Amino acid sequence: MSDIILEMRNISKSFPGVKALDGVNFTVKTGEIHCLVGENGAGKSTLMKILSGIHRYGSYEGDIIVGGEVMRFHSIRESESAGISIINQELALIPELSVAENIFFGHEIMKGRLIDWNETMRQAEGYLKQVRLNVPPSTPMRELRVGSQQLVEIAKSLSKHARLMILDEPTSSLNEEDSANLLNLLRELKQQGVTIIMISHRLKEVVQIADTVTVLRDGMSVCSLDAAGAPVTESEIIRYMVGRDMANIYPVRAEKNIGDVLFSVKNWSAYDPKLRREVLHDVNLEVRRGEIVGLAGLMGAGRTELALSIFGNTPGYRITGGELVMDGESVRFDSPREAIDHGIGYATEDRKKNGLILIQDIRFNTTFANLKALMKGRVISENEEVVQANRLKDSINIKAPSVQQTVLNLSGGNQQKVVLAKWIFARPKLMILDEPTRGIDVGAKYEIYSLMNEMVSQGMSIIMISSELLEVIGMSDRIYVMCEGRITGEVSGAQATEQNIMHLATDTEVV
Amino acid sequence: MDQNKTAKRALAQESVEMLRKNIRNYAMYIALAVIFIVFQVLSKVMLGKGLFLTARNITNLINQTGYIAVMAVGMTLVLIICQIDLSVGFGAGFLGACAARLMTMQVPIPLVILLVLALGVLIGLVQGTIIGKIGVPAFVTTLAGEFIFRGLLTLVTEASGTIPITNDAFNALSNGFVPELFTIGKYHGLTLLVGIVAIALIFVMEIRKRRDMMRYSFETISAPLFAFKLAFFAALIGALTVVLAGYKGISWTIIIVVVIVSIYNFILRNTRTGRYIYGMGGNMEAASLSGVNVKRTLIGVFASMGCMTALGGILYASRINSATPTAGMGFELDAIASCYIAGVSTTGGIGSVVNSVVGAFVIMSLTNGLNLIGIGISYQYLIKGIIFICAVALDVRGRGKKAIG
């Protein structure tokens, strides 16, 4: 019996007004890597929250059976003592504490009533070695990169002697290299007997790593695919996820209408006084009218820094050289307002942190960057505002009962559409999109891509920053690749391959 | 017959729906009504006659609330943008004392008022600049301000101790009434006229708004419900007008508060500045990246707070006909409590100046009522504290549920 570690039987869960899960069955074999996929809102996270006791026993229907025993978890603590450990998408680490303190946070190693620091450090070192993170255990958490922080989370789970580890979107904020390392680590853990459930949107990784893939759709389990025997393909998974065959992940632009140069960055260098280092060095790029320019690179390559330094320089860099040219005119923006007034828009990479005003409704967010367009004298015409917001909501298909819906309650894909609606309403000539499809499902991605195509077909230009190579290749007319604050190359057409871009992004020679 | 029934049911449904949606707004008014009734009953039981709901006491209550009400209006904006101003207590005391000192130097009253308001704005600008440009947290900056203004207040009043204010025009700001031009029976004529004009104004504005919305073919509330809403407003203002007209008429304080609230409400709801304030409170970084000059907005909000502090100081000095060395003690707490009790979000981004003024009335009616029935000051603080925490707890719970649903 022992080859089934977990069985979730007939799980149903409702939130006020929504049935999140409807009779889901989910079975995990001992020692496998089991990927859980599905569109946003399909119920993956809810299912895992039930398993880990975040949604406590009694708030759902159905049975959880771990190692042949029916479990009733009332809290995370109870699920942890059964050997289940969850690592959420938003990491639960404390930046001010050391790595060792974080690993043992909540289950400190005690000697009497005091913390046994020697033992803590010794054991922390062991766990760090196990996850292949080469830093001293006394390093403050905040000094680690996201990729390394993720590893600390895994070390923390190991220290709790987890038999079943749940990872929710572990690679969503990692670059390709860190992702690859993480996947290797997961394989090693599997060898050591840890069972892993991984939620992921990155199907490419799923195909690489999964022994079994379970697809959820609209709160129901669609199927479980055995990948250990015969390999599963991405398009197969996508077909189950969306219930339709998506031959083209990237919509084809009807006609390209690329004009003259709209915007160029020349010899642009910037110094960050807070980090005391140069963040951008001699950057040159240009964007033509009606063109989608991809900006590829690994995390920390300086892409977001470049966007921010152009868009009103809110981080307060010292621009040490170079110039920006818009419509043949040399420009410099001291605030986002000036950039917006000159026809530039910037959709941030983290819509919740600095893209949207979550407690406000769709209407408020849609018009916020261009209230000027609604002014009648000194007064905002609220009726006109509702009309305009409704027009955009319909035209880009934001799924919500009305524009008075609070943005907080929308799904990730719909939130991202509100961000785009805001910038479309501001009518920029050049739109910088920073990770426009991060953390949203396949269906919504397709809609965002189509929307981008529509924007450029109307003469707008787009710079798309993205860490997903296929997306950059699929959508861009030309691609600039950045590494450590420099542009290391420009590719287009047949040269735009994953391999070429990866070499430029890591600044290595093509072999 | 059947049609009649369905129509009635639809109307009932709509009314319930509207009540449900706006329960948070109505809760304030209901709380105020409950407080009024409780004190009326208590005073009847304990003192033999209902003293709370008399023309005299209501007039008194309104004049007493004026200075807290205007400060609560300024504070609402500060709290919406996730900041706080602890300096408004002795700030108001100090600015009131400045007014008194200027008057002893025979400066004409309009100039005194202008100078003091300008000084208030200046103080706000300085504090706002320290917070916005240098980056000292508002809590610290304004706490320092509270110390400094306490010192300054003592300095201004040092020579003479309490500075008496003998100017009738100035004292009328918080104690005076609009002139009685004519009477209708035993009623104050001008007051009735002001009441009628106010009702007419509300009617015109509401009807115009409704017509506008219909022109855009938006959903509007049904005609009977709209008529009921108008009638309700008319009855409320009418009743208040009649009560006031039966005593000494409408006070200057009411006019000042209504003008201030109207201006602020207009700015918050209908202008870009208002949007920027709400947006900044909801997410400062997102607002900044959407083109809002957050530093300038912050400094502006503190300047407005300074101006309201000055006005509060003037009204209070006028109310007690003097400037005392302890004037302003604890005003900041009353102003902040008024806002929170009125549903300004403790995490910023949400709030209404109209509600905050009602919140100020809630707080002051507690003081007034407890005084009336002879409860000692120690128990007054206890009762106020308990009611305050309960009100905010209910509000936080209510919001929490909404966020999940």
Side-chain angles (χ1 to χ4, degrees):
Chain A
M1 65 143 290
S2 68
D3 68 321
I4 301 292
I5 187 170
L6 166 75
E7 203 182 343
M8 295 180 82
R9 257 189 229 150
N10 226 352
I11 305 282
S12 295
K13 160 103 189 151
S14 295
F15 293 110
V18 204
K19 189 142 200 181
L21 293 173
D22 189 4
V24 169
N25 289 304
F26 182 57
T27 309
V28 180
K29 288 189 260 214
T30 307
E32 71 168 346
I33 296 181
H34 194 128
C35 288
L36 189 57
V37 299
E39 292 194 320
N40 276 7
K44 300 165 305 224
S45 296
T46 308
L47 188 67
M48 290 304 106
K49 280 180 180 164
I50 287 173
L51 175 56
S52 57
I54 298 173
H55 293 316
R56 50 190 307 188
Y57 174 77
S59 72
Y60 60 90
E61 291 157 42
D63 292 319
I64 302 175
I65 300 152
V66 179
E69 214 180 308
V70 177
M71 294 292 181
R72 294 174 175 182
F73 300 132
H74 291 88
S75 67
I76 298 193
R77 249 174 208 270
E78 291 184 25
S79 70
E80 276 177 357
S81 59
I84 297 171
S85 164
I86 186 163
I87 298 173
N88 284 308
Q89 201 172 350
E90 274 98 36
L91 301 180
L93 298 165
I94 300 158
E96 305 310 322
L97 294 184
S98 71
V99 170
E101 283 169 305
N102 268 292
I103 291 178
F104 293 103
F105 195 82
H107 60 124
E108 290 78 6
I109 301 172
M110 306 299 279
K111 198 194 248 170
R113 297 193 58 80
L114 299 174
I115 293 175
D116 184 345
W117 285 113
N118 292 332
E119 188 59 19
T120 299
M121 289 299 167
R122 197 186 64 78
Q123 289 197 19
E125 221 159 288
Y127 288 122
L128 287 176
K129 199 171 279 173
Q130 202 178 345
V131 299
R132 303 182 174 274
L133 180 60
N134 190 17
V135 298
S138 57
T139 316
M141 203 65 223
R142 67 183 129 76
E143 288 180 12
L144 299 190
R145 299 178 309 129
V146 191
S148 310
Q149 291 184 1
Q150 188 73 256
L151 297 178
V152 175
E153 275 279 12
I154 293 174
K156 186 174 171 180
S157 288
L158 291 173
S159 76
K160 290 173 187 165
H161 308 290
R163 286 184 294 153
L164 180 61
M165 206 180 276
I166 306 164
L167 297 107
D168 192 350
E169 294 277 356
T171 58
S172 70
S173 52
L174 303 189
N175 60 39
E176 306 246 343
E177 194 188 344
D178 283 345
S179 300
N181 287 340
L182 185 77
L183 296 185
N184 280 333
L185 175 64
L186 295 185
R187 284 197 192 95
E188 273 171 39
L189 292 175
K190 177 178 124 180
Q191 299 298 327
Q192 293 161 17
V194 180
T195 309
I196 290 162
I197 301 175
M198 179 170 112
I199 298 180
S200 182
H201 279 304
R202 293 197 178 172
L203 298 182
K204 205 174 136 194
E205 294 170 1
V206 171
V207 174
Q208 278 174 32
I209 199 172
D211 298 309
T212 312
V213 181
T214 293
V215 182
L216 288 188
R217 186 169 79 216
D218 304 329
M220 288 184 268
S221 31
V222 179
C223 63
S224 263
L225 307 165
D226 185 1
V232 188
T233 63
E234 287 173 58
S235 50
E236 198 177 344
I237 299 176
I238 291 176
R239 199 163 58 235
Y240 285 116
M241 277 169 71
V242 297
R244 60 181 181 270
D245 211 340
M246 199 180 274
N248 257 322
I249 304 180
Y250 306 103
V252 183
R253 228 182 301 165
E255 58 179 293
K256 291 195 185 184
N257 201 353
I258 296 174
D260 53 348
V261 175
L262 169 75
F263 178 74
S264 50
V265 178
K266 288 180 179 161
N267 306 20
W268 190 248
S269 297
Y271 178 86
D272 186 343
K274 277 175 220 136
L275 298 175
R276 294 192 195 150
R277 67 179 175 86
E278 193 174 41
V279 284
L280 297 169
H281 183 80
D282 199 22
V283 171
N284 285 286
L285 62 80
E286 58 180 36
V287 187
R288 294 173 173 275
R289 281 177 218 277
E291 189 179 36
I292 298 180
V293 170
L295 197 51
L298 300 175
M299 205 71 49
R303 296 166 303 164
T304 298
E305 288 79 356
L306 174 62
L308 287 171
S309 74
I310 295 169
F311 190 71
N313 193 12
T314 43
Y317 299 140
R318 209 164 63 227
I319 307 297
T320 48
E323 67 168 336
L324 307 174
V325 181
M326 183 93 185
D327 273 332
E329 204 181 307
S330 180
V331 286
R332 183 70 71 86
F333 312 123
D334 291 326
S335 69
R337 180 82 265 157
E338 286 177 30
I340 294 168
D341 290 343
H342 279 80
I344 296 183
Y346 172 57
T348 60
E349 62 180 323
D350 189 337
R351 57 183 168 269
K352 286 187 180 168
K353 182 165 161 267
N354 51 21
L356 292 166
I357 294 152
L358 292 171
I359 55 169
Q360 293 291 351
D361 57 14
I362 296 174
R363 172 193 57 94
F364 188 106
N365 277 285
T366 302
T367 58
F368 195 60
N370 189 20
L371 290 169
K372 217 189 283 173
L374 298 170
M375 302 304 280
K376 279 193 179 148
R378 302 190 61 79
V379 181
I380 296 170
S381 164
E382 283 188 80
N383 291 330
E384 191 58 33
E385 180 178 32
V386 173
V387 170
Q388 295 292 339
N390 259 319
R391 185 180 58 79
L392 275 162
K393 170 178 172 286
D394 293 341
S395 78
I396 69 178
N397 195 20
I398 298 170
K399 287 181 201 100
S402 78
V403 291
Q404 269 85 20
Q405 180 77 34
T406 309
V407 174
L408 185 69
N409 298 332
L410 299 178
S411 73
N414 282 310
Q415 286 183 347
Q416 190 65 21
K417 286 186 204 162
V418 176
V419 172
L420 289 181
K422 171 170 95 173
W423 289 111
I424 291 172
F425 186 69
R427 302 182 164 281
K429 287 183 266 185
L430 169 67
M431 187 66 230
I432 306 173
L433 298 173
D434 200 342
E435 304 284 0
T437 64
R438 174 177 289 174
I440 66 178
D441 60 63
V442 179
K445 275 186 185 178
Y446 190 85
E447 288 183 273
I448 301 263
Y449 297 144
S450 306
L451 199 58
M452 286 168 63
N453 283 348
E454 206 181 305
M455 285 155 83
V456 288
S457 74
Q458 287 163 12
M460 202 187 279
S461 307
I462 292 178
I463 296 178
M464 178 173 73
I465 300 173
S466 172
S467 296
E468 282 188 44
L469 287 182
L470 286 175
E471 170 177 285
V472 179
I473 296 166
M475 289 301 297
S476 311
D477 297 308
R478 273 184 309 126
I479 300 165
Y480 289 100
V481 188
M482 287 187 78
C483 178
E484 291 174 2
R486 297 156 204 265
I487 300 268
T488 46
E490 181 191 335
V491 290
S492 60
Q495 264 77 53
T497 63
E498 283 182 85
Q499 211 181 6
N500 282 344
I501 294 175
M502 213 54 214
H503 278 291
L504 289 169
T506 49
D507 210 7
T508 52
E509 292 299 316
V510 182
V511 265
Chain B
M1 212 36 208
D2 234 20
Q3 225 172 5
N4 203 350
K5 234 182 213 170
T6 352
K8 264 187 191 161
R9 192 172 306 142
L11 188 62
Q13 231 168 29
E14 193 190 355
S15 319
V16 171
E17 182 67 13
M18 200 166 98
L19 267 175
R20 208 178 54 81
K21 267 191 192 152
N22 296 305
I23 192 76
R24 188 61 192 80
N25 288 335
Y26 298 144
M28 288 295 309
Y29 299 93
I30 295 166
L32 196 60
V34 168
I35 290 172
F36 279 17
I37 293 164
V38 165
F39 281 125
Q40 178 69 1
V41 171
L42 280 180
S43 60
K44 185 134 198 168
V45 173
M46 295 169 73
L47 309 168
K49 53 185 168 183
L51 287 179
F52 192 85
L53 285 178
T54 57
R56 185 194 154 89
N57 193 50
I58 293 297
T59 303
N60 202 9
L61 172 65
I62 291 172
N63 288 356
Q64 233 167 30
T65 309
Y67 69 96
I68 290 296
V70 294
M71 282 160 67
V73 167
M75 190 63 78
T76 305
L77 272 58
V78 174
L79 296 176
I80 287 177
I81 62 165
C82 295
Q83 304 292 330
I84 198 156
D85 193 338
L86 298 173
S87 73
V88 302
F90 284 112
F94 164 63
L95 289 160
C98 289
R101 179 59 74 210
L102 285 172
M103 274 181 279
T104 60
M105 298 190 283
Q106 310 303 323
V107 180
I109 297 303
L111 190 59
V112 168
I113 293 174
L114 271 179
L115 282 174
V116 173
L117 291 180
L119 183 58
V121 171
L122 183 71
I123 287 172
L125 283 175
V126 171
Q127 296 201 105
T129 307
I130 294 172
I131 297 160
K133 297 258 170 169
I134 302 177
V136 182
F139 193 96
V140 177
T141 307
T142 60
L143 187 62
E146 182 80 337
F147 283 127
I148 292 167
F149 298 135
R150 184 170 202 168
L152 289 173
L153 171 61
T154 321
L155 277 178
V156 175
T157 53
E158 201 171 40
S160 53
T162 296
I163 309 168
I165 299 172
T166 50
N167 186 299
D168 289 338
F170 187 85
N171 288 338
L173 288 175
S174 280
N175 302 300
F177 301 87
V178 296
E180 186 181 81
L181 295 182
F182 55 95
T183 54
I184 301 169
K186 66 182 176 87
Y187 291 111
H188 193 281
L190 190 56
T191 300
L192 289 180
L193 194 65
V194 169
I196 291 166
V197 169
I199 293 173
L201 214 62
I202 287 180
F203 272 36
V204 169
M205 272 160 45
E206 285 288 324
I207 290 172
R208 190 185 281 174
K209 197 165 127 196
R210 184 178 160 83
R211 202 183 293 150
D212 227 30
M213 283 179 75
M214 281 167 132
R215 211 178 47 225
Y216 276 91
S217 56
F218 291 154
E219 211 177 300
T220 48
I221 56 171
S222 63
L225 206 59
F226 181 67
F228 175 77
K229 192 174 146 190
L230 287 186
F232 182 76
F233 275 134
L236 208 66
I237 296 173
L240 185 66
T241 309
V242 170
V243 168
L244 294 177
Y247 184 55
K248 287 184 183 168
I250 205 162
S251 67
W252 288 114
T253 306
I254 296 185
I255 292 180
I256 292 171
V257 171
V258 167
V259 167
I260 293 290
V261 170
S262 307
I263 294 172
Y264 270 87
N265 195 48
F266 176 79
I267 291 174
L268 273 187
R269 293 180 53 102
N270 299 311
T271 69
R272 264 192 283 178
T273 311
R275 280 303 170 85
Y276 292 167
I277 288 170
Y278 280 118
M280 194 177 145
N283 185 340
M284 180 133 125
E285 255 186 282
S288 167
L289 287 169
S290 301
V292 177
N293 188 335
V294 289
K295 284 182 187 164
R296 202 172 64 192
T297 308
L298 183 140
I299 293 171
V301 165
F302 273 92
S304 115
M305 180 76 252
C307 188
M308 287 304 107
T309 307
L311 186 57
I314 289 170
L315 288 179
Y316 184 72
S318 149
R319 178 81 191 147
I320 61 171
N321 300 343
S322 62
T324 68
T326 55
M329 181 127 64
F331 288 7
E332 74 280 10
L333 303 179
D334 279 336
I336 293 167
S338 302
C339 296
Y340 282 145
I341 224 170
V344 174
S345 165
T346 45
T347 49
I350 297 171
S352 132
V353 286
V354 178
N355 283 0
S356 291
V357 166
V358 180
F361 272 101
V362 167
I363 298 244
M364 290 314 269
S365 358
L366 282 175
T367 310
N368 177 299
L370 291 169
N371 270 332
L372 201 71
I373 58 173
I375 304 280
I377 189 82
S378 356
Y379 289 104
Q380 285 191 20
Y381 278 120
L382 280 175
I383 293 168
K384 267 161 69 175
I386 290 166
I387 290 180
F388 178 44
I389 195 70
C390 292
V392 178
L394 275 176
D395 190 37
V396 169
R397 289 303 298 168
R399 264 191 234 293
K401 268 184 203 134
K402 215 156 102 197
I404 292 165

